[in-house]
Amino acid sequence: MFKRSIISGVGHYVPDNVVKNDDLAQRMDTNNEWIVERTGIEERRHVVPGSDDTTATMGTKAAKIAIERAGLQPDDIEFIIFATLSPDYYFPGPGVQVQEQLGLAKEIGALDVRNQCSGFVYSMSVADQFIKTGMYKHILVIGSELHSGGLDMTTRGRGVSVIFGDGAGAVVMSASDDPNRGILSTHLHSEGRHAKELALEGPNTRDWVPAIIARNDPEDTSFYPYMNGNFVFKHAVVRFMEVINEALAANQLQSTDLKLLIPHQANLRISQYIQQKMQLRDDQVYNNIMRYGNTTAATIPIALSEAWEAGLIQKGDLVMFAAFGSGFTWASAVMRW
Ligand code: UT7
């Protein structure tokens, strides 16, 4: 008999430093009205340079909360999955840092996932497979990003840099014998021909740091994220709908059955479009992009942690997660809490 994967604990951590739209307008040609109207974002968090906040340490802080809420000790964790596009090191990925920072006595496995905005849902899917087959009982799944240090904070980069923020979320996924709870299904997709439409191409090992320095080209933006915003937006709204409907159909469910949809927080307009198309009420869709911007792999676990803290999710509730982003990759997961 397969086990079911439940979420036994949730946690999140965001840096204290609140950066308002008006603060960004001091640094580049942008304004509060444009950002709010186009994205819904009012503020985001940026780590304070020199603080101990990194992608790995923020992930560990969120993880500690999730582990405690699961009623577990760190050494009960049997496997770590860490989703990020902004690791502390080029390699190794931050999964191993969490193994150390949690002070684990055991040398458990640590896996890093690179699927950007859909990285957390992909990671949940991986954890679900390990739990279903009985390989692990408790898996730590983290999404964390430190974007602020790598953004072009000049007017040239404004189409991207006003959108992204820093933060981390984590869950503990645990094995359950209750057939009425847990992940019902996950659905993963990619379309690599659009990889360059939302990407950070340099430095890469064909164009490494010394070559970039030697060129000394002030127009070189290869080491800043690039996003073809309109193009990404148009694909996002289609793929979000497809992958949510795929999850509903796979489980003979209707959108009216959903207690909560937690979409990746890329743009409030995308979430509102999905809500309207699916005819969901306001209380069925959780959004917090207004306060954190887009934290890529961290948006879903941060939103989940906040929604849980607010008492919006109770045992037995049907919860849907869906994400779309760089790759392109997109994914959904539907679960009975
Ligand atoms: O998380 C991964 C997935 N990501 C997404 O799903 C993001 C999808 N895309 C988007 O959310 C939107 O495309 C953006 C929010 C990125 C951009 O919104 P948009 O409505 O597509 O704006 P745009 O890029 O077409 O730019 C419109 C205008 C341009 O000026 P002109 O050419 O019309 O004169 C931009 O230069 O807005 C200008 N602009 C800005 N103005 C003030 C771009 N960024 C800014 C800015 N402040 N920050």
mmCIF file with all atom_site columns, all heavy atoms in Angstrom, residues 74-87:
data_model
loop_
_atom_site.group_PDB
_atom_site.id
_atom_site.type_symbol
_atom_site.label_atom_id
_atom_site.label_alt_id
_atom_site.label_comp_id
_atom_site.label_asym_id
_atom_site.label_entity_id
_atom_site.label_seq_id
_atom_site.pdbx_PDB_ins_code
_atom_site.Cartn_x
_atom_site.Cartn_y
_atom_site.Cartn_z
_atom_site.occupancy
_atom_site.B_iso_or_equiv
_atom_site.pdbx_formal_charge
_atom_site.auth_seq_id
_atom_site.auth_comp_id
_atom_site.auth_asym_id
_atom_site.auth_atom_id
_atom_site.pdbx_PDB_model_num
ATOM 1   N N   . PRO A 1 74 ? 15.236 18.311 14.090  1.00 0.00 ? 74 PRO A N   1
ATOM 2   C CA  . PRO A 1 74 ? 15.965 18.327 12.809  1.00 0.00 ? 74 PRO A CA  1
ATOM 3   C C   . PRO A 1 74 ? 16.472 16.949 12.385  1.00 0.00 ? 74 PRO A C   1
ATOM 4   O O   . PRO A 1 74 ? 16.425 16.606 11.202  1.00 0.00 ? 74 PRO A O   1
ATOM 5   C CB  . PRO A 1 74 ? 17.119 19.300 13.082  1.00 0.00 ? 74 PRO A CB  1
ATOM 6   C CG  . PRO A 1 74 ? 16.558 20.248 14.105  1.00 0.00 ? 74 PRO A CG  1
ATOM 7   C CD  . PRO A 1 74 ? 15.664 19.417 14.972  1.00 0.00 ? 74 PRO A CD  1
ATOM 8   N N   . ASP A 1 75 ? 16.885 16.138 13.343  1.00 0.00 ? 75 ASP A N   1
ATOM 9   C CA  . ASP A 1 75 ? 17.434 14.832 12.943  1.00 0.00 ? 75 ASP A CA  1
ATOM 10  C C   . ASP A 1 75 ? 16.369 13.820 12.523  1.00 0.00 ? 75 ASP A C   1
ATOM 11  O O   . ASP A 1 75 ? 16.715 12.710 12.097  1.00 0.00 ? 75 ASP A O   1
ATOM 12  C CB  . ASP A 1 75 ? 18.346 14.268 14.044  1.00 0.00 ? 75 ASP A CB  1
ATOM 13  C CG  . ASP A 1 75 ? 19.774 14.805 13.870  1.00 0.00 ? 75 ASP A CG  1
ATOM 14  O OD1 . ASP A 1 75 ? 20.290 14.702 12.737  1.00 0.00 ? 75 ASP A OD1 1
ATOM 15  O OD2 . ASP A 1 75 ? 20.337 15.352 14.836  1.00 0.00 ? 75 ASP A OD2 1
ATOM 16  N N   . ASP A 1 76 ? 15.088 14.212 12.625  1.00 0.00 ? 76 ASP A N   1
ATOM 17  C CA  . ASP A 1 76 ? 14.037 13.356 12.056  1.00 0.00 ? 76 ASP A CA  1
ATOM 18  C C   . ASP A 1 76 ? 13.976 13.482 10.531  1.00 0.00 ? 76 ASP A C   1
ATOM 19  O O   . ASP A 1 76 ? 13.380 12.639 9.858   1.00 0.00 ? 76 ASP A O   1
ATOM 20  C CB  . ASP A 1 76 ? 12.663 13.732 12.636  1.00 0.00 ? 76 ASP A CB  1
ATOM 21  C CG  . ASP A 1 76 ? 12.582 13.445 14.137  1.00 0.00 ? 76 ASP A CG  1
ATOM 22  O OD1 . ASP A 1 76 ? 13.162 12.426 14.565  1.00 0.00 ? 76 ASP A OD1 1
ATOM 23  O OD2 . ASP A 1 76 ? 11.952 14.241 14.854  1.00 0.00 ? 76 ASP A OD2 1
ATOM 24  N N   . ILE A 1 77 ? 14.558 14.571 10.013  1.00 0.00 ? 77 ILE A N   1
ATOM 25  C CA  . ILE A 1 77 ? 14.533 14.788 8.549   1.00 0.00 ? 77 ILE A CA  1
ATOM 26  C C   . ILE A 1 77 ? 15.459 13.769 7.883   1.00 0.00 ? 77 ILE A C   1
ATOM 27  O O   . ILE A 1 77 ? 16.598 13.567 8.317   1.00 0.00 ? 77 ILE A O   1
ATOM 28  C CB  . ILE A 1 77 ? 14.983 16.236 8.204   1.00 0.00 ? 77 ILE A CB  1
ATOM 29  C CG1 . ILE A 1 77 ? 14.041 17.255 8.859   1.00 0.00 ? 77 ILE A CG1 1
ATOM 30  C CG2 . ILE A 1 77 ? 15.072 16.430 6.690   1.00 0.00 ? 77 ILE A CG2 1
ATOM 31  C CD1 . ILE A 1 77 ? 12.603 17.206 8.386   1.00 0.00 ? 77 ILE A CD1 1
ATOM 32  N N   . GLU A 1 78 ? 14.951 13.160 6.816   1.00 0.00 ? 78 GLU A N   1
ATOM 33  C CA  . GLU A 1 78 ? 15.729 12.100 6.145   1.00 0.00 ? 78 GLU A CA  1
ATOM 34  C C   . GLU A 1 78 ? 16.295 12.529 4.796   1.00 0.00 ? 78 GLU A C   1
ATOM 35  O O   . GLU A 1 78 ? 17.134 11.825 4.223   1.00 0.00 ? 78 GLU A O   1
ATOM 36  C CB  . GLU A 1 78 ? 14.840 10.868 5.951   1.00 0.00 ? 78 GLU A CB  1
ATOM 37  C CG  . GLU A 1 78 ? 14.423 10.249 7.274   1.00 0.00 ? 78 GLU A CG  1
ATOM 38  C CD  . GLU A 1 78 ? 13.337 9.212  7.107   1.00 0.00 ? 78 GLU A CD  1
ATOM 39  O OE1 . GLU A 1 78 ? 12.465 9.402  6.235   1.00 0.00 ? 78 GLU A OE1 1
ATOM 40  O OE2 . GLU A 1 78 ? 13.355 8.219  7.836   1.00 0.00 ? 78 GLU A OE2 1
ATOM 41  N N   . PHE A 1 79 ? 15.811 13.652 4.278   1.00 0.00 ? 79 PHE A N   1
ATOM 42  C CA  . PHE A 1 79 ? 16.255 14.084 2.940   1.00 0.00 ? 79 PHE A CA  1
ATOM 43  C C   . PHE A 1 79 ? 15.917 15.568 2.805   1.00 0.00 ? 79 PHE A C   1
ATOM 44  O O   . PHE A 1 79 ? 14.908 16.032 3.343   1.00 0.00 ? 79 PHE A O   1
ATOM 45  C CB  . PHE A 1 79 ? 15.519 13.266 1.870   1.00 0.00 ? 79 PHE A CB  1
ATOM 46  C CG  . PHE A 1 79 ? 16.074 13.393 0.482   1.00 0.00 ? 79 PHE A CG  1
ATOM 47  C CD1 . PHE A 1 79 ? 17.384 13.014 0.198   1.00 0.00 ? 79 PHE A CD1 1
ATOM 48  C CD2 . PHE A 1 79 ? 15.287 13.867 -0.560  1.00 0.00 ? 79 PHE A CD2 1
ATOM 49  C CE1 . PHE A 1 79 ? 17.891 13.114 -1.091  1.00 0.00 ? 79 PHE A CE1 1
ATOM 50  C CE2 . PHE A 1 79 ? 15.781 13.969 -1.853  1.00 0.00 ? 79 PHE A CE2 1
ATOM 51  C CZ  . PHE A 1 79 ? 17.090 13.587 -2.115  1.00 0.00 ? 79 PHE A CZ  1
ATOM 52  N N   . ILE A 1 80 ? 16.776 16.289 2.083   1.00 0.00 ? 80 ILE A N   1
ATOM 53  C CA  . ILE A 1 80 ? 16.578 17.732 1.862   1.00 0.00 ? 80 ILE A CA  1
ATOM 54  C C   . ILE A 1 80 ? 16.451 17.986 0.365   1.00 0.00 ? 80 ILE A C   1
ATOM 55  O O   . ILE A 1 80 ? 17.269 17.484 -0.422  1.00 0.00 ? 80 ILE A O   1
ATOM 56  C CB  . ILE A 1 80 ? 17.787 18.535 2.410   1.00 0.00 ? 80 ILE A CB  1
ATOM 57  C CG1 . ILE A 1 80 ? 17.939 18.349 3.923   1.00 0.00 ? 80 ILE A CG1 1
ATOM 58  C CG2 . ILE A 1 80 ? 17.656 20.016 2.050   1.00 0.00 ? 80 ILE A CG2 1
ATOM 59  C CD1 . ILE A 1 80 ? 19.306 18.799 4.456   1.00 0.00 ? 80 ILE A CD1 1
ATOM 60  N N   . ILE A 1 81 ? 15.445 18.771 0.001   1.00 0.00 ? 81 ILE A N   1
ATOM 61  C CA  . ILE A 1 81 ? 15.337 19.232 -1.395  1.00 0.00 ? 81 ILE A CA  1
ATOM 62  C C   . ILE A 1 81 ? 15.297 20.754 -1.350  1.00 0.00 ? 81 ILE A C   1
ATOM 63  O O   . ILE A 1 81 ? 14.478 21.341 -0.621  1.00 0.00 ? 81 ILE A O   1
ATOM 64  C CB  . ILE A 1 81 ? 14.077 18.680 -2.098  1.00 0.00 ? 81 ILE A CB  1
ATOM 65  C CG1 . ILE A 1 81 ? 14.034 17.154 -1.997  1.00 0.00 ? 81 ILE A CG1 1
ATOM 66  C CG2 . ILE A 1 81 ? 14.049 19.128 -3.557  1.00 0.00 ? 81 ILE A CG2 1
ATOM 67  C CD1 . ILE A 1 81 ? 12.797 16.529 -2.633  1.00 0.00 ? 81 ILE A CD1 1
ATOM 68  N N   . PHE A 1 82 ? 16.175 21.390 -2.094  1.00 0.00 ? 82 PHE A N   1
ATOM 69  C CA  . PHE A 1 82 ? 16.299 22.849 -2.042  1.00 0.00 ? 82 PHE A CA  1
ATOM 70  C C   . PHE A 1 82 ? 16.122 23.416 -3.447  1.00 0.00 ? 82 PHE A C   1
ATOM 71  O O   . PHE A 1 82 ? 16.909 23.126 -4.347  1.00 0.00 ? 82 PHE A O   1
ATOM 72  C CB  . PHE A 1 82 ? 17.681 23.228 -1.494  1.00 0.00 ? 82 PHE A CB  1
ATOM 73  C CG  . PHE A 1 82 ? 17.762 24.632 -0.940  1.00 0.00 ? 82 PHE A CG  1
ATOM 74  C CD1 . PHE A 1 82 ? 18.183 24.845 0.358   1.00 0.00 ? 82 PHE A CD1 1
ATOM 75  C CD2 . PHE A 1 82 ? 17.417 25.732 -1.718  1.00 0.00 ? 82 PHE A CD2 1
ATOM 76  C CE1 . PHE A 1 82 ? 18.257 26.137 0.891   1.00 0.00 ? 82 PHE A CE1 1
ATOM 77  C CE2 . PHE A 1 82 ? 17.489 27.020 -1.197  1.00 0.00 ? 82 PHE A CE2 1
ATOM 78  C CZ  . PHE A 1 82 ? 17.911 27.219 0.109   1.00 0.00 ? 82 PHE A CZ  1
ATOM 79  N N   . ALA A 1 83 ? 15.105 24.241 -3.616  1.00 0.00 ? 83 ALA A N   1
ATOM 80  C CA  . ALA A 1 83 ? 14.846 24.874 -4.917  1.00 0.00 ? 83 ALA A CA  1
ATOM 81  C C   . ALA A 1 83 ? 15.284 26.332 -4.879  1.00 0.00 ? 83 ALA A C   1
ATOM 82  O O   . ALA A 1 83 ? 14.854 27.087 -4.000  1.00 0.00 ? 83 ALA A O   1
ATOM 83  C CB  . ALA A 1 83 ? 13.359 24.787 -5.244  1.00 0.00 ? 83 ALA A CB  1
ATOM 84  N N   . THR A 1 84 ? 16.132 26.717 -5.806  1.00 0.00 ? 84 THR A N   1
ATOM 85  C CA  . THR A 1 84 ? 16.533 28.126 -5.924  1.00 0.00 ? 84 THR A CA  1
ATOM 86  C C   . THR A 1 84 ? 17.169 28.375 -7.283  1.00 0.00 ? 84 THR A C   1
ATOM 87  O O   . THR A 1 84 ? 17.706 27.450 -7.898  1.00 0.00 ? 84 THR A O   1
ATOM 88  C CB  . THR A 1 84 ? 17.536 28.529 -4.829  1.00 0.00 ? 84 THR A CB  1
ATOM 89  O OG1 . THR A 1 84 ? 17.729 29.945 -4.869  1.00 0.00 ? 84 THR A OG1 1
ATOM 90  C CG2 . THR A 1 84 ? 18.886 27.843 -4.987  1.00 0.00 ? 84 THR A CG2 1
ATOM 91  N N   . LEU A 1 85 ? 17.122 29.630 -7.740  1.00 0.00 ? 85 LEU A N   1
ATOM 92  C CA  . LEU A 1 85 ? 17.922 30.022 -8.904  1.00 0.00 ? 85 LEU A CA  1
ATOM 93  C C   . LEU A 1 85 ? 19.062 30.937 -8.468  1.00 0.00 ? 85 LEU A C   1
ATOM 94  O O   . LEU A 1 85 ? 19.858 31.384 -9.292  1.00 0.00 ? 85 LEU A O   1
ATOM 95  C CB  . LEU A 1 85 ? 17.065 30.692 -9.989  1.00 0.00 ? 85 LEU A CB  1
ATOM 96  C CG  . LEU A 1 85 ? 16.372 32.028 -9.761  1.00 0.00 ? 85 LEU A CG  1
ATOM 97  C CD1 . LEU A 1 85 ? 17.321 33.198 -9.633  1.00 0.00 ? 85 LEU A CD1 1
ATOM 98  C CD2 . LEU A 1 85 ? 15.422 32.289 -10.918 1.00 0.00 ? 85 LEU A CD2 1
ATOM 99  N N   . SER A 1 86 ? 19.122 31.219 -7.153  1.00 0.00 ? 86 SER A N   1
ATOM 100 C CA  . SER A 1 86 ? 20.123 32.176 -6.657  1.00 0.00 ? 86 SER A CA  1
ATOM 101 C C   . SER A 1 86 ? 20.924 31.558 -5.512  1.00 0.00 ? 86 SER A C   1
ATOM 102 O O   . SER A 1 86 ? 20.876 32.030 -4.388  1.00 0.00 ? 86 SER A O   1
ATOM 103 C CB  . SER A 1 86 ? 19.418 33.457 -6.195  1.00 0.00 ? 86 SER A CB  1
ATOM 104 O OG  . SER A 1 86 ? 18.372 33.161 -5.279  1.00 0.00 ? 86 SER A OG  1
ATOM 105 N N   . PRO A 1 87 ? 21.656 30.474 -5.807  1.00 0.00 ? 87 PRO A N   1
ATOM 106 C CA  . PRO A 1 87 ? 22.407 29.793 -4.742  1.00 0.00 ? 87 PRO A CA  1
ATOM 107 C C   . PRO A 1 87 ? 23.542 30.654 -4.205  1.00 0.00 ? 87 PRO A C   1
ATOM 108 O O   . PRO A 1 87 ? 24.030 31.552 -4.894  1.00 0.00 ? 87 PRO A O   1
ATOM 109 C CB  . PRO A 1 87 ? 22.962 28.550 -5.453  1.00 0.00 ? 87 PRO A CB  1
ATOM 110 C CG  . PRO A 1 87 ? 23.040 28.932 -6.892  1.00 0.00 ? 87 PRO A CG  1
ATOM 111 C CD  . PRO A 1 87 ? 21.890 29.872 -7.128  1.00 0.00 ? 87 PRO A CD  1
#
